[in-house]
Amino acid sequence: MKHLLAIALLSLTLVGCNQQEDNRIQSQGTNIDFTKVTNKDAPVSQSIATQAKKTILENEEVTAVRGINTSEKVLLAFKVKQFDSFRETKLEDELKNKLEKAFPEKKIFVSSDEKIFIELDQLEKEIQNKDMNEDELKKDFKTIQDLLNDEA
């Protein structure tokens, strides 16, 4: 009986490590913080944002990335290693150019601002866990975009 209980607890722990509390899938193994929004009922598929996040993570200086997309725009925020923080602005420009080439049909916004990162993280959670229509997504996107423009 004790062995069965131990195996059950171990299984729950391993399954729990695979997903965050908000049901987004998080990367395993590396020191990279990457989440994938997998809500099939999302008002707009987040596959473009996921592809863009993977593109950003190809850069070795990036340690974490969050992002969302609407049907016309993609908004991403990233974190870099402490030592690389002096290059954030240049890195923003490089990543934006790379993403504009990869997704020419989308308007791309990239930021290394911590506030934008946190807001995108919260919006990813909302998209994953609740029913949200496209108008709500666009409204929340615009709110974060306005924060980004205020920083400029």
Side-chain angles (χ1 to χ4, degrees):
M1 184 66 175
K2 289 181 182 179
H3 294 294
L4 184 59
L5 182 60
I7 291 171
L9 287 174
L10 180 61
S11 297
L12 287 174
T13 303
L14 291 175
V15 169
C17 291
N18 191 26
Q19 293 190 352
Q20 293 180 324
E21 64 189 43
D22 54 29
N23 297 322
R24 292 176 298 168
I25 298 172
Q26 186 169 11
S27 66
Q28 296 291 315
T30 64
N31 290 332
I32 295 174
D33 185 2
F34 169 79
T35 56
K36 180 179 177 184
V37 177
T38 59
N39 186 349
K40 291 180 175 69
D41 297 326
V44 176
S45 169
Q46 295 300 302
S47 62
I48 297 291
T50 299
Q51 291 173 8
K53 288 189 263 187
K54 288 178 181 178
T55 301
I56 286 179
L57 287 172
E58 291 173 359
N59 191 304
E60 64 185 31
E61 295 144 326
V62 176
T63 60
V65 65
R66 296 292 184 271
I68 60 165
N69 66 272
T70 64
S71 51
E72 311 88 30
K73 302 174 184 177
V74 180
L75 177 57
L76 300 143
F78 65 93
K79 292 182 180 181
V80 295
K81 296 175 185 172
Q82 185 73 28
F83 183 72
D84 296 317
S85 60
F86 67 93
R87 275 189 22 92
E88 283 179 348
T89 305
K90 184 177 178 187
L91 193 55
E92 277 181 27
D93 293 336
E94 290 172 8
L95 292 171
K96 183 175 180 180
N97 289 335
K98 187 174 187 178
L99 291 169
E100 285 174 340
K101 290 177 185 171
F103 305 102
E105 71 284 357
K106 302 284 186 190
K107 177 81 172 147
I108 306 289
F109 301 91
V110 178
S111 175
S112 60
D113 186 314
E114 181 74 19
K115 182 178 9 172
I116 304 299
F117 185 91
I118 292 168
E119 292 292 328
L120 284 173
D121 187 56
Q122 291 173 348
L123 186 52
E124 277 187 356
K125 289 176 187 176
E126 288 180 32
I127 292 169
Q128 181 65 36
N129 293 324
K130 81 173 206 183
D131 292 330
M132 175 183 274
N133 64 38
E134 190 168 358
D135 291 334
E136 290 173 319
L137 176 63
K138 286 182 179 182
K139 180 183 173 208
D140 291 343
F141 188 101
K142 180 156 178 27
T143 301
I144 297 172
Q145 186 180 354
D146 290 344
L147 284 174
L148 181 64
N149 292 335
D150 287 344
E151 295 296 318

